Amino acid sequence: MTTSELTLPATKPPRAGRRRVMGAGKQLHAGPVTYVVLTVFALASLAPLVWTAIAASRTAHRLDETPPPLWFGGNLFKNLETAWDQAGLGTAMFNSLIVAGTITVSTVLFSTLAGFAFAKLRFRFSGLLLLLTIGTMMIPPQLAVVPLYLWMSDLGWSNQLQTVILPGLVTAFGTFFMRQYLVQALPSELIEAARVDGASSLRIVWHVVFPAARPAMAVLGLLTFVFAWNDFLWPIIALNQQNPTVQVALNSLGTGYVPDQAVIMAGALLGTLPLLIAFLLFGKQIVGGIMQGAIKG
């Protein structure tokens, strides 16, 4: 036999494998139905905000007419100025920024630390403590209003911002959210390697845990800020009109024998603007964090 006779024919990869490789580089393209559905949902989501802006640009008399206005009027800036002065929104905006900002930073920090402990550290009764933490989410917040108010009164914090800040410094949802993310996103081998290199627990948290948890921290931060900014039940009980948050201040616009609906809508629009600005500034990072968490999961 010659060498050519001993040469085996080249084997071809299976067709299914070739299809898999070819299909791996393809991109999915949305069809016209997808664009129509997404457009409908986008318009439906924007409709309340657009209606608020239209109502804020009209007069109270025009809003009472039938059919209601479907386009902007010329009283927007006048109503915004009236709402700003009547509700004292300058002080209220400043207070809400302090409350929401402090709660957001504290919740993200403590929830990340607690979530890391539940996800990667081994200690006694960790499962029981996690179960108790999740169990607190089942308790309606209305049940805690009376004992919480009595506690804050005993501390002498009535009508002060720390009364609103203290109960929201950490949340069970934030702890559970960060724990679920870090279980998948943070390899245990990375922590062990850092310990072998002599890194302390604080250094591991700062240089390993926080970078790995950054996408989830961004998502949790936005959700916490929105919730703290829009919170109404506890601030309306704990604060008064002399030291209000935005939601407490907007409540004063609805008083009177005949409330001016246009001014109320203008105040609601002013109270929503900081949330819109925050999402415009950090929306890309938030969406990226959600997508990265979905891919890791």
Side-chain angles (χ1 to χ4, degrees), residues 141-163:
Q142 292 82 0
L143 296 180
V145 167
V146 174
L148 189 60
Y149 183 81
L150 294 176
W151 180 28
M152 295 301 164
S153 296
D154 292 339
L155 293 175
W157 288 355
S158 298
N159 301 322
Q160 299 182 28
L161 295 182
Q162 57 262 36
T163 308

Side-chain angles (χ1 to χ4, degrees), residues 273-285:
L273 284 179
L275 300 180
L276 297 177
I277 294 173
F279 187 80
L280 289 176
L281 292 177
F282 305 106
K284 186 176 181 179
Q285 290 81 355

Side-chain angles (χ1 to χ4, degrees), residues 95-169:
N95 289 342
S96 287
L97 285 175
I98 294 177
V99 171
T102 304
I103 290 176
T104 299
V105 173
S106 174
T107 298
V108 171
L109 175 62
F110 290 128
S111 296
T112 303
L113 295 176
F116 165 65
F118 283 124
K120 296 299 177 180
L121 301 184
R122 298 293 175 260
F123 54 93
R124 298 180 63 182
F125 308 115
S126 60
L128 178 60
L129 290 175
L130 179 61
L131 183 63
L132 291 176
T133 301
I134 298 174
T136 59
M137 298 170 60
M138 312 299 175
I139 303 175
Q142 292 82 0
L143 296 180
V145 167
V146 174
L148 189 60
Y149 183 81
L150 294 176
W151 180 28
M152 295 301 164
S153 296
D154 292 339
L155 293 175
W157 288 355
S158 298
N159 301 322
Q160 299 182 28
L161 295 182
Q162 57 262 36
T163 308
V164 182
I165 294 174
L166 183 62
L169 290 180

Side-chain angles (χ1 to χ4, degrees), residues 123-236:
F123 54 93
R124 298 180 63 182
F125 308 115
S126 60
L128 178 60
L129 290 175
L130 179 61
L131 183 63
L132 291 176
T133 301
I134 298 174
T136 59
M137 298 170 60
M138 312 299 175
I139 303 175
Q142 292 82 0
L143 296 180
V145 167
V146 174
L148 189 60
Y149 183 81
L150 294 176
W151 180 28
M152 295 301 164
S153 296
D154 292 339
L155 293 175
W157 288 355
S158 298
N159 301 322
Q160 299 182 28
L161 295 182
Q162 57 262 36
T163 308
V164 182
I165 294 174
L166 183 62
L169 290 180
V170 66
T171 62
F173 168 76
T175 301
F176 179 71
F177 177 80
M178 295 305 303
R179 186 261 177 193
Q180 293 301 105
Y181 181 85
L182 289 174
V183 165
Q184 298 290 337
L186 182 60
S188 300
E189 293 79 6
L190 191 60
I191 301 175
E192 295 300 328
R195 292 193 185 279
V196 171
D197 291 340
S200 62
S201 298
L202 181 60
R203 190 166 184 176
I204 291 175
V205 169
W206 185 259
H207 292 284
V208 178
V209 178
F210 283 167
R214 190 174 299 156
M217 293 170 69
V219 176
L220 179 61
L222 179 64
L223 295 177
T224 304
F225 185 84
V226 171
F227 177 80
W229 184 274
N230 290 331
D231 191 18
F232 176 76
L233 176 62
W234 176 239
I236 195 64

